[in-house]
Amino acid sequence: MRQNHPSYPQVALDFMNRDHEEFAALRGKLLDLIDSGTADAIDGLLDELQRHTVRHFADEEKAMQEAGFPVYAVHKGEHDAVLVDMAARIEGWRRERDIAVLRDWLDAAVGEWFVSHVSSMDTVTAGFIAAQRQRS
Ligand SMILES: [Fe+2]
């Protein structure tokens, strides 16, 4: 079965959970559109996914810096790599218009990255920041 709407864990900060839900919904909407053969709205939704991701990463990074998160550079490094890959994939889609390649990227790479990033780095980061906020 295809995982257009995968499950992922909740973390200790509400703003992150809200953003993760929005990201998962946008990815699911894109995959649903591709599956239903409605390619028209794809460009706009891809832009939205990219804008959302840039803004969400910036918010997480700000929260990490404010809390003095010790492995900020590692988490930020993963964000940067994802943004570079996302920009290249979107550019590739605009150039080639290969819907199978786009689908495969969203389905496999993006889906796996999202679940594993939320389960590991985001879970640890949110736990640290939430504990820090409780102390202060
Ligand atoms: Fe993150």
Side-chain angles (χ1 to χ4, degrees):
M1 207 187 88
R2 283 170 159 175
Q3 289 278 299
N4 284 9
H5 301 273
S7 59
Y8 55 90
Q10 296 294 296
V11 301
L13 292 175
D14 290 342
F15 90 87
M16 285 169 72
N17 289 325
R18 273 195 302 273
D19 279 353
H20 294 159
E21 197 181 319
E22 200 181 315
F23 182 90
L26 279 169
R27 173 184 169 272
K29 217 160 138 185
L30 271 162
L31 285 168
D32 290 343
L33 270 180
I34 294 170
D35 289 346
S36 67
T38 329
D40 296 355
I42 287 175
D43 286 349
L45 266 180
L46 273 176
D47 283 344
E48 210 178 319
L49 188 79
Q50 190 177 29
R51 271 198 310 275
H52 165 94
T53 309
V54 168
R55 200 263 307 141
H56 168 64
F57 284 177
D59 287 351
E60 270 188 22
E61 287 157 16
K62 187 166 170 269
M64 282 192 269
Q65 283 188 305
E66 282 169 1
F69 184 58
V71 283
Y72 169 80
V74 177
H75 196 155
K76 162 109 170 93
E78 191 166 316
H79 284 173
D80 290 348
V82 167
L83 291 180
V84 168
D85 179 61
M86 190 179 273
R89 295 290 183 161
I90 293 174
E91 206 190 298
W93 155 250
R94 294 229 166 87
R95 209 175 42 238
E96 312 285 339
R97 296 284 171 197
D98 188 332
I99 201 134
V101 168
L102 180 69
R103 194 196 190 287
D104 186 55
W105 171 68
L106 279 166
D107 183 33
V110 175
E112 279 155 30
W113 170 79
F114 176 68
V115 173
S116 105
H117 185 83
V118 173
S119 313
S120 59
M121 243 171 249
D122 284 350
T123 297
V124 173
T125 301
F128 179 91
I129 296 171
Q132 180 103 335
R133 285 180 183 178
Q134 256 178 1
R135 277 197 300 274
S136 58

